[in-house]
Amino acid sequence: EHLAAVGALRAHGVPVTAYLHWTVSDNWEWADGYCPKFGLFAVNRSSPGLERIARPSAALYAEISRTKRVTQKQRQNAWQIVRDHAGARCV
């Protein structure tokens, strides 16, 4: 949704020159600890090297960056994933 909003701004002539996705990997949230998990890459906190594992959102972000567009299908698919995981317990 944030990237779609950036596209709408650009379509209206706003000179957006950069975008920074928050966050690349899961991080500590003061109110929630390591939950929710919303990074492009999951962090395996059990592995000695804190291995990063790409989530499907990383591939989607790469595709949007490559094509410079957000499609309605991409948005619908992303929201379906959110709905499918709503209420899931964070571990």
Side-chain angles (χ1 to χ4, degrees):
E1 293 304 311
H2 294 99
L3 291 173
V6 169
L9 289 170
R10 295 184 74 207
H12 284 90
V14 176
V16 178
T17 58
Y19 175 84
L20 176 66
H21 177 80
W22 187 265
T23 178
V24 173
S25 63
D26 293 335
N27 62 333
W28 175 263
E29 293 292 321
W30 287 104
D32 301 311
Y34 287 115
C35 188
K37 299 181 182 301
F38 49 82
L40 295 174
F41 292 81
V43 178
N44 181 350
R45 300 199 184 283
S46 301
S47 73
L50 298 175
E51 175 189 18
R52 272 59 168 187
I53 302 141
R55 289 200 170 98
S57 56
L60 174 60
Y61 187 76
E63 180 183 349
I64 292 169
S65 298
R66 191 173 43 259
T67 63
K68 296 182 174 54
R69 61 181 299 150
V70 179
T71 67
Q72 188 62 30
K73 183 176 181 181
Q74 289 168 326
R75 291 173 79 185
Q76 289 170 343
N77 290 344
W79 278 112
Q80 187 60 53
I81 292 169
V82 170
R83 284 190 292 274
D84 290 347
H85 291 90
R89 183 165 161 74
C90 184
V91 290

